């Protein structure tokens, strides 16, 4: 879908944001929160529709302002049935799923050589997860974050870091054959934020007292369980390549 982009990616991204938002709302409700569900969906989808596809974001600020005013009006109408935590949960869930996922679409649709950059995001995320899993299972002894995810180890994190760095250097050699220190830095950075994304999802599930975010993927859990690292890696790569002015030859 990302390779072909266009309409398939537009439809696919909308489906992902809807399912991801639904799973996050489920987590929030299990935490005892009652977000304004409709506004969570609308604000999350707005990050895609007005933020990316419609007029290339020309009216994104306006649409977000309209949604903010309407959602606040709704909050005032139902007060005190909803409290501040519920309002915060409404916005956070929308921006966490729709806002962060939109960076993958931004990379693909509106960045030169977008397919290569999206491929890099997936490769770095997969490399980090794969290295962490196998090294952690084989050599893991010291817990990385025992209060969040007891099975994740320092050794596993280093394994993921190492494979992410190798992947970044390999990609850098393929596309530019220069700036190796920059690609090394990108590999390290994505390994750190990828691990953060994984631990963040673990924190949400612990607060919700749930094992998985959903049951969409048998044996894997929900959609958010699969894209938790991607949600932080995508904007990291997006801003990194802009700041460093990286190009694909």
């Amino acid at each position: 879908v990302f390779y072909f982009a266009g309409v398939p990616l537009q439809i696919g991204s909308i489906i992902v944001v809807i399912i991801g938002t639904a799973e996050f709302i489920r987590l929030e409700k299990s935490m005892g929160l009652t977000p304004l569900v409709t506004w969570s969906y609308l604000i999350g989808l707005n990050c895609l529709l007005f933020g990316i596809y419609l007029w290339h974001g020309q009216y994104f600020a306006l649409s977000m302002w309209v949604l903010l005013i309407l959602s606040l009006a709704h909050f005032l109408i139902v007060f005190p049935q909803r409290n501040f935590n519920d309002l915060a949960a409404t916005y956070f869930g929308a921006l966490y799923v729709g806002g962060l996922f939109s960076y993958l679409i931004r990379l693909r649709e509106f960045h030169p050589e977008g397919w290569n950059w999206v491929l890099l995001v997936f490769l770095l995320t997969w490399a980090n997860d794969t290295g962490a899993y196998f090294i952690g299972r084989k050599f893991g002894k010291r817990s990385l974050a025992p209060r969040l995810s007891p099975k994740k180890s320092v050794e596993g994190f280093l394994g993921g870091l190492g494979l992410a760095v190798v992947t970044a250097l390999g990609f850098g050699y393929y596309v530019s054959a220069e700036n190796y220190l920059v690609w090394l830095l990108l590999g390290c950075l994505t390994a750190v934020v990828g691990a953060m994304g994984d631990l963040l999802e673990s924190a949400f599930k612990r607060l919700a007292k749930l094992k998985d975010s959903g049951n969409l993927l048998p044996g894997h859990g929900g959609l958010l369980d699969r894209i938790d690292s991607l949600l932080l890696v995508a904007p990291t790569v997006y801003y990194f390549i802009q700041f460093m002015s990286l190009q694909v030859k």
Side-chain angles (χ1 to χ4, degrees):
V1 170
F2 272 99
Y3 178 78
F4 288 106
V7 174
L9 182 55
Q10 294 171 17
I11 296 173
S13 60
I14 290 172
I15 292 173
V16 166
V17 169
I18 290 175
I19 294 175
T21 302
E23 291 184 355
F24 200 82
I25 290 172
R26 173 176 176 260
L27 291 174
E28 290 175 327
K29 289 183 175 180
S30 296
M31 297 176 196
L33 300 168
T34 51
L36 303 172
V37 172
T38 300
W39 300 110
S40 286
Y41 284 113
L42 290 178
I43 294 171
L45 287 172
N46 183 64
C47 293
L48 282 175
L49 300 179
F50 277 91
I52 299 176
Y53 291 127
L54 301 181
W55 304 295
H56 301 277
Q58 181 178 354
Y59 297 106
F60 177 61
L62 173 61
S63 60
M64 284 295 287
W65 173 247
V66 170
L67 290 173
L68 177 64
I69 290 296
L70 292 177
S71 60
L72 289 175
H74 184 185
F75 173 73
L76 293 176
I77 291 171
V78 301
F79 184 85
Q81 298 174 26
R82 298 289 197 277
N83 57 38
F84 176 79
N85 291 336
D86 299 328
L87 187 64
T90 300
Y91 298 138
F92 183 82
L95 297 177
Y96 174 70
V97 180
L100 294 180
F101 186 78
S102 70
Y103 281 95
L104 269 175
I105 316 302
R106 293 173 190 273
L107 275 173
R108 180 63 185 97
E109 296 281 27
F110 301 115
H111 200 288
E113 299 295 332
W115 162 244
N116 289 292
W117 296 124
V118 167
L119 180 62
L120 175 62
V121 170
F122 279 100
L123 290 176
L124 288 174
T125 303
W126 292 337
N128 184 39
D129 287 347
T130 302
Y133 177 77
F134 285 105
I135 297 298
R137 286 198 64 179
K138 182 70 174 178
F139 303 105
K141 293 181 179 179
R142 292 170 292 178
S143 181
L144 179 64
R147 289 180 295 179
L148 294 175
S149 184
K151 292 184 179 180
K152 290 181 174 59
S153 64
V154 173
E155 293 80 5
F157 169 75
L158 294 176
L161 174 67
L163 195 53
V165 166
V166 170
T167 302
L169 289 173
F171 187 89
Y173 176 80
Y174 171 74
V175 301
S176 67
E178 57 185 16
N179 297 326
Y180 290 121
L181 288 179
V182 173
W183 293 104
L184 173 66
L185 176 60
L186 179 59
C188 293
L189 191 59
T190 54
V192 172
V193 298
M196 286 177 57
D198 199 10
L199 291 173
L200 186 62
E201 182 71 10
S202 296
F204 292 149
K205 290 186 289 187
R206 280 193 170 273
L207 289 172
K209 295 181 173 58
L210 293 174
K211 183 178 182 296
D212 299 311
S213 65
N215 53 13
L216 179 68
L217 306 170
H220 293 271
L223 179 68
L224 290 181
D225 293 313
R226 293 295 88 204
I227 67 171
D228 50 9
S229 295
L230 279 173
L231 290 178
L232 292 188
V233 172
T236 299
V237 172
Y238 178 85
Y239 287 116
F240 187 89
I241 63 177
Q242 285 193 328
F243 183 77
M244 293 296 182
S245 300
L246 294 180
Q247 297 179 347
V248 179
K249 67 180 180 179

